[in-house]
Amino acid sequence: MFKALLIERDDNGQRVGLSELREEQLPEGDVTVRVASSTLNYKDALAITGKAPVVRRFPMVPGIDFAGVVEHSDNPSFRSGDKVVLNGWGVGEVHWGGLSEVVRVKGEWLIRLEPSFSFSQAMSIGTAGYTAMLCVMALERHGLTPASGQVLVTGASGGVGSVAIAVLAKLGYEVAAVTGRTEEAQYLTKLGAKRILPRSDFSEPAKPLAREQWAGAVDVVGGYVLANVCASLKYRGVVTACGLAGDMTFPATVAPFILRGVTLAGIDSVMCPTDERREAWRRLGEDLDPTLLDSMVKRIAIEDAVKVSEQLIAGAVRGRVVVPVNDL
C-alpha cells in the first residue's frame, strides 16, 4: 500500500483527497520509483482545483514532476538505486504523477539526478526552474549576451520567474523584474533583479510599437503583458514565452516582428527532447546559485496541497512549493 493524492470525478463533480492505494493499481510503465520529493506547480493547482481541464483521465494522481529512487526497472537504462528526476511528459494529466509515495512511469521519461543536487534541491528547482533554464538557453541561441542590454522577466515572484532572475543575474545579465506583488521587491533584489516594475505598467492594451527598452525577455503571463513586452523590445530582441498565468490570448500586432525583427520563441517543457532536458539540468547545476533555493521555497505536507492550490491560483504564493514525500 502507498499514499497518494487522488483526483476523482463523477456525476456529482470532482473530489480530491489523500488515498491509500495498492501497487497493482499503478499505471503501466517499465520503471517504478519511490518518490523522495514532488512539487505543486500552477498546472497542478489548476488540476486539483478543477479550474481548467488539465486532467484528461480519471482517477488521476496530480504532480507534474518528482525526484526519487528507482525501486524496480525493466528498462535497460535504469537499475534499482538510481536517483532520477521527471518533468512533464503528461504526468499528472494523462498518467499518474508525483504527488504519491510510489510512481510507475516509462523509463524514457526519466533523467538521472545531477550529482550536485539533493532530491529536495532538485524539486526546489522543479519543472518551473527547468523551464526557466530552457528559456535562458533559447535566449542564448538567438544571440543574447549580457552586453546586449537589459532582460525583462515577467511573473517574477513565481517559480519560473524566480529561477530565471537568479540564473540570468549569475550569468551577468542586468535583469528587470515585473511583478503584481511589489511587496516582494526585497526578495527579487536578493535573487539579482536590478529593477522592479509593477505589472500595471504592462496590463493595458499595447501600442503597436513602444520605446525600445529590452534586449530580451522571459514571459510567463501572456495576454496584454506579453503584447507590451514585444512592443518594447529592442531591434532584434527576443522574448521566450512559456506560460499563461495571466491570459492565453496574445492581443498584439505584427509591427515588432516586421519592423524591429523581434523574435517570439515558444518554450515547451512537457515534451522537450531528452538531450535538451539533460543539458538544461546540467546548466542548472552550473548557473544557479544553490544558496538561493531556500529563499524561493515553501514546503508543505501532501495533505495541504488542496488548500495551497487555491492560494497558488490566486497568485498568493511566492517562488516554489515543494512537497516532501518519503525520507530517502
PDB file of all heavy atoms in Angstrom, residues 249-273:
ATOM      1  N   THR A 249      -4.428  34.631 -24.399  1.00  0.00           N
ATOM      2  CA  THR A 249      -4.543  35.392 -25.637  1.00  0.00           C
ATOM      3  C   THR A 249      -3.249  36.158 -25.885  1.00  0.00           C
ATOM      4  O   THR A 249      -2.400  36.306 -24.995  1.00  0.00           O
ATOM      5  CB  THR A 249      -5.715  36.371 -25.588  1.00  0.00           C
ATOM      6  OG1 THR A 249      -5.470  37.348 -24.569  1.00  0.00           O
ATOM      7  CG2 THR A 249      -7.030  35.640 -25.300  1.00  0.00           C
ATOM      8  N   PHE A 250      -3.128  36.694 -27.106  1.00  0.00           N
ATOM      9  CA  PHE A 250      -1.960  37.488 -27.477  1.00  0.00           C
ATOM     10  C   PHE A 250      -2.433  38.671 -28.322  1.00  0.00           C
ATOM     11  O   PHE A 250      -2.354  38.651 -29.545  1.00  0.00           O
ATOM     12  CB  PHE A 250      -0.955  36.618 -28.239  1.00  0.00           C
ATOM     13  CG  PHE A 250       0.305  37.341 -28.629  1.00  0.00           C
ATOM     14  CD1 PHE A 250       0.953  38.172 -27.733  1.00  0.00           C
ATOM     15  CD2 PHE A 250       0.836  37.181 -29.900  1.00  0.00           C
ATOM     16  CE1 PHE A 250       2.110  38.838 -28.091  1.00  0.00           C
ATOM     17  CE2 PHE A 250       2.002  37.840 -30.269  1.00  0.00           C
ATOM     18  CZ  PHE A 250       2.650  38.667 -29.356  1.00  0.00           C
ATOM     19  N   PRO A 251      -2.966  39.718 -27.667  1.00  0.00           N
ATOM     20  CA  PRO A 251      -3.573  40.848 -28.370  1.00  0.00           C
ATOM     21  C   PRO A 251      -2.535  41.858 -28.865  1.00  0.00           C
ATOM     22  O   PRO A 251      -2.405  42.964 -28.343  1.00  0.00           O
ATOM     23  CB  PRO A 251      -4.484  41.455 -27.305  1.00  0.00           C
ATOM     24  CG  PRO A 251      -3.779  41.161 -26.023  1.00  0.00           C
ATOM     25  CD  PRO A 251      -3.109  39.829 -26.208  1.00  0.00           C
ATOM     26  N   ALA A 252      -1.790  41.461 -29.890  1.00  0.00           N
ATOM     27  CA  ALA A 252      -0.685  42.283 -30.391  1.00  0.00           C
ATOM     28  C   ALA A 252      -0.820  42.492 -31.891  1.00  0.00           C
ATOM     29  O   ALA A 252      -1.717  41.956 -32.545  1.00  0.00           O
ATOM     30  CB  ALA A 252       0.641  41.603 -30.066  1.00  0.00           C
ATOM     31  N   THR A 253       0.114  43.274 -32.445  1.00  0.00           N
ATOM     32  CA  THR A 253       0.204  43.438 -33.901  1.00  0.00           C
ATOM     33  C   THR A 253       1.502  42.810 -34.384  1.00  0.00           C
ATOM     34  O   THR A 253       2.363  42.426 -33.585  1.00  0.00           O
ATOM     35  CB  THR A 253       0.197  44.929 -34.292  1.00  0.00           C
ATOM     36  OG1 THR A 253       1.477  45.505 -33.960  1.00  0.00           O
ATOM     37  CG2 THR A 253      -0.914  45.689 -33.567  1.00  0.00           C
ATOM     38  N   VAL A 254       1.656  42.747 -35.696  1.00  0.00           N
ATOM     39  CA  VAL A 254       2.890  42.191 -36.265  1.00  0.00           C
ATOM     40  C   VAL A 254       4.010  43.225 -36.301  1.00  0.00           C
ATOM     41  O   VAL A 254       5.139  42.897 -36.680  1.00  0.00           O
ATOM     42  CB  VAL A 254       2.651  41.637 -37.693  1.00  0.00           C
ATOM     43  CG1 VAL A 254       1.648  40.497 -37.649  1.00  0.00           C
ATOM     44  CG2 VAL A 254       2.205  42.732 -38.647  1.00  0.00           C
ATOM     45  N   ALA A 255       3.735  44.472 -35.897  1.00  0.00           N
ATOM     46  CA  ALA A 255       4.720  45.545 -36.033  1.00  0.00           C
ATOM     47  C   ALA A 255       6.092  45.228 -35.425  1.00  0.00           C
ATOM     48  O   ALA A 255       7.120  45.436 -36.085  1.00  0.00           O
ATOM     49  CB  ALA A 255       4.155  46.842 -35.445  1.00  0.00           C
ATOM     50  N   PRO A 256       6.165  44.729 -34.183  1.00  0.00           N
ATOM     51  CA  PRO A 256       7.500  44.462 -33.634  1.00  0.00           C
ATOM     52  C   PRO A 256       8.286  43.423 -34.434  1.00  0.00           C
ATOM     53  O   PRO A 256       9.516  43.485 -34.493  1.00  0.00           O
ATOM     54  CB  PRO A 256       7.203  43.943 -32.220  1.00  0.00           C
ATOM     55  CG  PRO A 256       5.827  44.411 -31.906  1.00  0.00           C
ATOM     56  CD  PRO A 256       5.103  44.416 -33.216  1.00  0.00           C
ATOM     57  N   PHE A 257       7.582  42.513 -35.051  1.00  0.00           N
ATOM     58  CA  PHE A 257       8.244  41.403 -35.746  1.00  0.00           C
ATOM     59  C   PHE A 257       8.753  41.804 -37.129  1.00  0.00           C
ATOM     60  O   PHE A 257       9.818  41.360 -37.556  1.00  0.00           O
ATOM     61  CB  PHE A 257       7.285  40.214 -35.836  1.00  0.00           C
ATOM     62  CG  PHE A 257       6.684  39.845 -34.514  1.00  0.00           C
ATOM     63  CD1 PHE A 257       5.368  40.142 -34.219  1.00  0.00           C
ATOM     64  CD2 PHE A 257       7.452  39.244 -33.531  1.00  0.00           C
ATOM     65  CE1 PHE A 257       4.814  39.843 -32.985  1.00  0.00           C
ATOM     66  CE2 PHE A 257       6.915  38.929 -32.295  1.00  0.00           C
ATOM     67  CZ  PHE A 257       5.594  39.235 -32.013  1.00  0.00           C
ATOM     68  N   ILE A 258       8.012  42.665 -37.806  1.00  0.00           N
ATOM     69  CA  ILE A 258       8.421  43.019 -39.172  1.00  0.00           C
ATOM     70  C   ILE A 258       9.156  44.355 -39.245  1.00  0.00           C
ATOM     71  O   ILE A 258       9.829  44.632 -40.244  1.00  0.00           O
ATOM     72  CB  ILE A 258       7.213  43.028 -40.141  1.00  0.00           C
ATOM     73  CG1 ILE A 258       6.194  44.110 -39.742  1.00  0.00           C
ATOM     74  CG2 ILE A 258       6.567  41.652 -40.189  1.00  0.00           C
ATOM     75  CD1 ILE A 258       5.052  44.236 -40.747  1.00  0.00           C
ATOM     76  N   LEU A 259       9.056  45.181 -38.201  1.00  0.00           N
ATOM     77  CA  LEU A 259       9.749  46.471 -38.218  1.00  0.00           C
ATOM     78  C   LEU A 259      11.007  46.464 -37.358  1.00  0.00           C
ATOM     79  O   LEU A 259      11.927  47.246 -37.603  1.00  0.00           O
ATOM     80  CB  LEU A 259       8.814  47.585 -37.756  1.00  0.00           C
ATOM     81  CG  LEU A 259       7.583  47.828 -38.643  1.00  0.00           C
ATOM     82  CD1 LEU A 259       6.718  48.941 -38.066  1.00  0.00           C
ATOM     83  CD2 LEU A 259       7.999  48.167 -40.073  1.00  0.00           C
ATOM     84  N   ARG A 260      11.038  45.608 -36.350  1.00  0.00           N
ATOM     85  CA  ARG A 260      12.225  45.531 -35.488  1.00  0.00           C
ATOM     86  C   ARG A 260      12.889  44.161 -35.506  1.00  0.00           C
ATOM     87  O   ARG A 260      13.875  43.936 -34.814  1.00  0.00           O
ATOM     88  CB  ARG A 260      11.849  45.899 -34.042  1.00  0.00           C
ATOM     89  CG  ARG A 260      11.515  47.380 -33.859  1.00  0.00           C
ATOM     90  CD  ARG A 260      11.259  47.706 -32.407  1.00  0.00           C
ATOM     91  NE  ARG A 260      10.895  49.106 -32.244  1.00  0.00           N
ATOM     92  CZ  ARG A 260      10.314  49.610 -31.152  1.00  0.00           C
ATOM     93  NH1 ARG A 260      10.027  48.806 -30.128  1.00  0.00           N
ATOM     94  NH2 ARG A 260      10.013  50.889 -31.090  1.00  0.00           N
ATOM     95  N   GLY A 261      12.345  43.221 -36.269  1.00  0.00           N
ATOM     96  CA  GLY A 261      12.954  41.896 -36.342  1.00  0.00           C
ATOM     97  C   GLY A 261      12.905  41.136 -35.041  1.00  0.00           C
ATOM     98  O   GLY A 261      13.762  40.289 -34.752  1.00  0.00           O
ATOM     99  N   VAL A 262      11.890  41.431 -34.217  1.00  0.00           N
ATOM    100  CA  VAL A 262      11.745  40.772 -32.917  1.00  0.00           C
ATOM    101  C   VAL A 262      11.394  39.292 -33.106  1.00  0.00           C
ATOM    102  O   VAL A 262      10.688  38.919 -34.044  1.00  0.00           O
ATOM    103  CB  VAL A 262      10.652  41.498 -32.096  1.00  0.00           C
ATOM    104  CG1 VAL A 262      10.136  40.631 -30.957  1.00  0.00           C
ATOM    105  CG2 VAL A 262      11.180  42.829 -31.583  1.00  0.00           C
ATOM    106  N   THR A 263      11.889  38.464 -32.208  1.00  0.00           N
ATOM    107  CA  THR A 263      11.586  37.027 -32.214  1.00  0.00           C
ATOM    108  C   THR A 263      10.763  36.667 -30.991  1.00  0.00           C
ATOM    109  O   THR A 263      11.103  37.051 -29.861  1.00  0.00           O
ATOM    110  CB  THR A 263      12.880  36.197 -32.200  1.00  0.00           C
ATOM    111  OG1 THR A 263      13.616  36.442 -33.393  1.00  0.00           O
ATOM    112  CG2 THR A 263      12.573  34.703 -32.106  1.00  0.00           C
ATOM    113  N   LEU A 264       9.679  35.929 -31.221  1.00  0.00           N
ATOM    114  CA  LEU A 264       8.881  35.346 -30.137  1.00  0.00           C
ATOM    115  C   LEU A 264       9.137  33.848 -30.155  1.00  0.00           C
ATOM    116  O   LEU A 264       8.744  33.151 -31.091  1.00  0.00           O
ATOM    117  CB  LEU A 264       7.397  35.648 -30.345  1.00  0.00           C
ATOM    118  CG  LEU A 264       6.416  34.999 -29.361  1.00  0.00           C
ATOM    119  CD1 LEU A 264       6.717  35.392 -27.928  1.00  0.00           C
ATOM    120  CD2 LEU A 264       4.975  35.356 -29.723  1.00  0.00           C
ATOM    121  N   ALA A 265       9.822  33.346 -29.151  1.00  0.00           N
ATOM    122  CA  ALA A 265      10.224  31.937 -29.097  1.00  0.00           C
ATOM    123  C   ALA A 265       9.366  31.198 -28.077  1.00  0.00           C
ATOM    124  O   ALA A 265       9.375  31.525 -26.890  1.00  0.00           O
ATOM    125  CB  ALA A 265      11.697  31.817 -28.727  1.00  0.00           C
ATOM    126  N   GLY A 266       8.616  30.211 -28.535  1.00  0.00           N
ATOM    127  CA  GLY A 266       7.801  29.401 -27.639  1.00  0.00           C
ATOM    128  C   GLY A 266       8.626  28.352 -26.929  1.00  0.00           C
ATOM    129  O   GLY A 266       9.491  27.718 -27.541  1.00  0.00           O
ATOM    130  N   ILE A 267       8.373  28.162 -25.644  1.00  0.00           N
ATOM    131  CA  ILE A 267       9.107  27.193 -24.824  1.00  0.00           C
ATOM    132  C   ILE A 267       8.141  26.138 -24.310  1.00  0.00           C
ATOM    133  O   ILE A 267       7.202  26.454 -23.568  1.00  0.00           O
ATOM    134  CB  ILE A 267       9.797  27.874 -23.632  1.00  0.00           C
ATOM    135  CG1 ILE A 267      10.721  28.999 -24.103  1.00  0.00           C
ATOM    136  CG2 ILE A 267      10.573  26.848 -22.805  1.00  0.00           C
ATOM    137  CD1 ILE A 267      11.845  28.561 -25.016  1.00  0.00           C
ATOM    138  N   ASP A 268       8.350  24.893 -24.715  1.00  0.00           N
ATOM    139  CA  ASP A 268       7.543  23.778 -24.234  1.00  0.00           C
ATOM    140  C   ASP A 268       8.415  22.881 -23.369  1.00  0.00           C
ATOM    141  O   ASP A 268       9.390  22.302 -23.859  1.00  0.00           O
ATOM    142  CB  ASP A 268       6.974  22.970 -25.403  1.00  0.00           C
ATOM    143  CG  ASP A 268       6.431  21.629 -24.946  1.00  0.00           C
ATOM    144  OD1 ASP A 268       5.636  21.618 -23.995  1.00  0.00           O
ATOM    145  OD2 ASP A 268       6.830  20.592 -25.514  1.00  0.00           O
ATOM    146  N   SER A 269       8.067  22.756 -22.115  1.00  0.00           N
ATOM    147  CA  SER A 269       8.851  21.908 -21.209  1.00  0.00           C
ATOM    148  C   SER A 269       8.295  20.496 -21.109  1.00  0.00           C
ATOM    149  O   SER A 269       8.987  19.600 -20.617  1.00  0.00           O
ATOM    150  CB  SER A 269       8.884  22.532 -19.812  1.00  0.00           C
ATOM    151  OG  SER A 269       7.573  22.613 -19.259  1.00  0.00           O
ATOM    152  N   VAL A 270       7.059  20.279 -21.572  1.00  0.00           N
ATOM    153  CA  VAL A 270       6.391  18.991 -21.364  1.00  0.00           C
ATOM    154  C   VAL A 270       6.977  17.896 -22.245  1.00  0.00           C
ATOM    155  O   VAL A 270       7.322  16.814 -21.777  1.00  0.00           O
ATOM    156  CB  VAL A 270       4.874  19.118 -21.596  1.00  0.00           C
ATOM    157  CG1 VAL A 270       4.195  17.755 -21.451  1.00  0.00           C
ATOM    158  CG2 VAL A 270       4.267  20.108 -20.619  1.00  0.00           C
ATOM    159  N   MET A 271       7.091  18.164 -23.541  1.00  0.00           N
ATOM    160  CA  MET A 271       7.555  17.161 -24.492  1.00  0.00           C
ATOM    161  C   MET A 271       8.963  17.452 -25.003  1.00  0.00           C
ATOM    162  O   MET A 271       9.387  16.915 -26.019  1.00  0.00           O
ATOM    163  CB  MET A 271       6.579  17.078 -25.670  1.00  0.00           C
ATOM    164  CG  MET A 271       5.129  16.825 -25.276  1.00  0.00           C
ATOM    165  SD  MET A 271       4.879  15.329 -24.294  1.00  0.00           S
ATOM    166  CE  MET A 271       5.203  14.057 -25.537  1.00  0.00           C
ATOM    167  N   CYS A 272       9.681  18.302 -24.314  1.00  0.00           N
ATOM    168  CA  CYS A 272      11.040  18.680 -24.703  1.00  0.00           C
ATOM    169  C   CYS A 272      11.919  17.432 -24.851  1.00  0.00           C
ATOM    170  O   CYS A 272      11.884  16.533 -24.008  1.00  0.00           O
ATOM    171  CB  CYS A 272      11.611  19.597 -23.631  1.00  0.00           C
ATOM    172  SG  CYS A 272      13.288  20.166 -23.935  1.00  0.00           S
ATOM    173  N   PRO A 273      12.731  17.351 -25.935  1.00  0.00           N
ATOM    174  CA  PRO A 273      13.587  16.170 -26.142  1.00  0.00           C
ATOM    175  C   PRO A 273      14.540  15.927 -24.976  1.00  0.00           C
ATOM    176  O   PRO A 273      14.984  16.864 -24.298  1.00  0.00           O
ATOM    177  CB  PRO A 273      14.362  16.526 -27.419  1.00  0.00           C
ATOM    178  CG  PRO A 273      13.506  17.513 -28.129  1.00  0.00           C
ATOM    179  CD  PRO A 273      12.830  18.310 -27.045  1.00  0.00           C
TER     180      PRO A 273
END
